[in-house]
Amino acid sequence: MVSVLFITFVICLFIGVPVAFSLGLASLAYFLGANMPIATFSQRFFAGIDSFTLLCIPGFTLAGNLMNQGGISDKLMDFCDKLVGHLTGGMAYANIMASMIFAGISGTALSDTVALGGIEIPMMVDLGYDKSFSVAVTAASSCMGPIIPPSLPMIMAATMTGLSVSKMFMAGIVPGILMGGGMALVSYVISKRRKYPKREHMSSVREILKSGREAIWAIIMTLIILFGIIGGMVTPTEASIICIVYGTFVGFVIYRKLTLKSFYQCLQQTLSSAASIMALVAFANVFAYILTKERIPNMIAEAMLNLTSNKYILLLLINLFLIFVGMFMETIAAILILFP
């Protein structure tokens, strides 16, 4: 029946069925073929989303939407431009810096791209950067969203395995900074070769301070999340609720760009996004239950260990396997299926 599971899953993906429903249909085909009680399917489905920690997913998503609608994206980009816009490839660095800061609010690559991409790409193109380069920098820098805390994929992994969320967040800070530095270095080389333009004059201290004062609210939210969770003062779910209250206050009172209509749109976007993630989590939990029952993870682990006992080569093989999986499967689904 394992072959039925995987064949159904691959066919569903091939014909364009969303990953969540592909997992669900494949799992259902397995249950029916193995004459297993459908009640077990329902139990595993709801067990996958019966977690207090998972409540932070809609929380952080809503917080990111509120800060975006509240005008924080414009302020962030302007602040980063004031800092590095006079350097060769300055707008690329500003793009990367803004993504690093916004990653500390949203926790996902998609939120980062949606919130900042509509501002960053036109700004870079207007200043003389190639459109393809502008899009590439925006897409690549958004990948820091799942690395720099808060990270929804990290929360999912911690929920699956019982690991400490705060420790996982701490583990993501340095790699996130290294990723940003690496992207900046590549952007510098490309900008130098293509002779991209830069601002003639460095911003004055007064201009930087003024821009920083307007963008400080986003930085404060990032600090609330980091020190609150890592310091053990709040759980990820509690931190997400604090961020919602904070984002609402900043949007309505400080920037005054958030209206009742835009607030309602934020709620709609959050519900749509959170519902799709929760459905994915629930179906992936059923799929993972079947894999565990059939000892598939053990078989894969044994196969890899039979190839080599060298830990570095093993890590390389795992990373190559994950790159291959990432070509076809959404991040959270891959984590839920493969992490155990």
Side-chain angles (χ1 to χ4, degrees):
M1 290 310 300
V2 175
S3 58
V4 172
L5 178 77
F6 285 110
I7 290 171
T8 306
F9 179 61
V10 171
I11 290 174
C12 288
L13 285 180
F14 185 74
I15 62 176
V17 178
V19 174
F21 296 108
S22 297
L23 292 168
L25 290 170
S27 301
L28 184 60
Y30 176 89
F31 269 76
L32 294 174
N35 291 320
M36 292 178 65
I38 298 299
T40 305
F41 183 99
S42 303
Q43 289 169 355
R44 302 311 307 179
F45 179 90
F46 287 106
I49 52 177
D50 184 19
S51 169
F52 177 73
T53 306
L54 291 181
L55 287 173
C56 69
I57 292 177
F60 283 127
T61 305
L62 179 56
N65 288 336
L66 288 171
M67 294 301 277
N68 182 36
Q69 289 281 359
I72 191 63
S73 305
D74 300 335
K75 309 292 183 184
L76 265 181
M77 196 61 193
D78 181 63
F79 174 59
C80 295
D81 178 43
K82 289 287 191 296
L83 283 175
V84 296
H86 62 285
L87 302 173
T88 300
M91 279 304 297
Y93 309 149
N95 189 328
I96 294 165
M97 285 179 64
S99 292
M100 290 178 75
I101 297 172
F102 199 85
I105 299 173
S106 65
T108 63
L110 185 60
S111 297
D112 190 326
T113 306
V114 172
L116 298 174
I119 301 164
E120 295 168 336
I121 296 170
M123 281 181 69
M124 291 181 71
V125 172
D126 289 344
L127 288 171
Y129 290 83
D130 293 336
K131 189 173 184 179
S132 57
F133 177 74
S134 306
V135 172
V137 172
T138 303
S141 62
S142 70
C143 292
M144 290 183 285
I147 306 297
I148 296 174
S151 164
L152 296 191
M154 283 187 185
I155 292 167
M156 296 304 313
T159 304
M160 286 285 294
T161 57
L163 295 170
S164 167
V165 175
S166 61
K167 287 183 179 179
M168 292 194 74
F169 280 3
M170 288 178 67
I173 296 173
V174 174
I177 294 171
L178 289 174
M179 282 179 68
M183 291 177 195
L185 181 61
V186 173
S187 297
Y188 172 78
V189 173
I190 294 174
S191 300
K192 199 76 174 174
R193 284 179 179 174
R194 298 183 183 179
K195 295 180 173 57
Y196 285 139
K198 59 181 179 179
R199 268 198 285 108
E200 293 182 4
H201 303 290
M202 181 179 177
S203 300
S204 66
V205 174
R206 185 177 180 181
E207 288 176 325
I208 293 172
L209 289 176
K210 181 184 177 183
S211 180
R213 190 165 59 248
E214 293 178 343
I216 193 67
W217 300 102
I219 299 169
I220 291 174
M221 181 183 273
T222 304
L223 295 176
I224 289 172
I225 296 169
L226 282 177
F227 289 107
I229 297 174
I230 294 174
M233 291 179 280
V234 292
T235 65
T237 303
E238 291 165 348
S240 69
I241 303 305
I242 293 171
C243 288
I244 290 172
V245 176
Y246 177 88
T248 305
F249 173 77
V250 171
F252 276 114
V253 180
I254 305 298
Y255 292 144
R256 298 181 182 179
K257 285 193 173 183
L258 200 60
T259 62
L260 289 175
K261 182 180 179 181
S262 58
F263 184 78
Y264 178 68
Q265 289 174 342
C266 287
L267 292 176
Q268 284 184 312
Q269 292 168 4
T270 302
L271 284 172
S272 175
S273 176
S276 63
I277 292 174
M278 289 301 188
L280 181 59
V281 171
F283 283 125
N285 192 63
V286 182
F287 195 86
Y289 164 75
I290 296 170
L291 294 182
T292 305
K293 178 178 176 292
E294 295 288 348
R295 299 187 76 254
I296 302 298
N298 291 345
M299 291 166 60
I300 294 173
E302 289 170 5
M304 284 193 169
L305 289 172
N306 286 335
L307 288 174
T308 179
S309 59
N310 186 299
K311 60 183 179 181
Y312 300 109
I313 296 177
L314 186 63
L315 282 172
L316 179 62
L317 289 173
I318 290 171
N319 276 285
L320 290 172
F321 176 65
L322 290 175
I323 289 172
F324 175 74
V325 170
M327 295 177 183
F328 306 99
M329 194 176 293
E330 198 271 343
T331 307
I332 293 178
I335 287 172
L336 292 169
I337 294 170
L338 300 174
F339 214 87

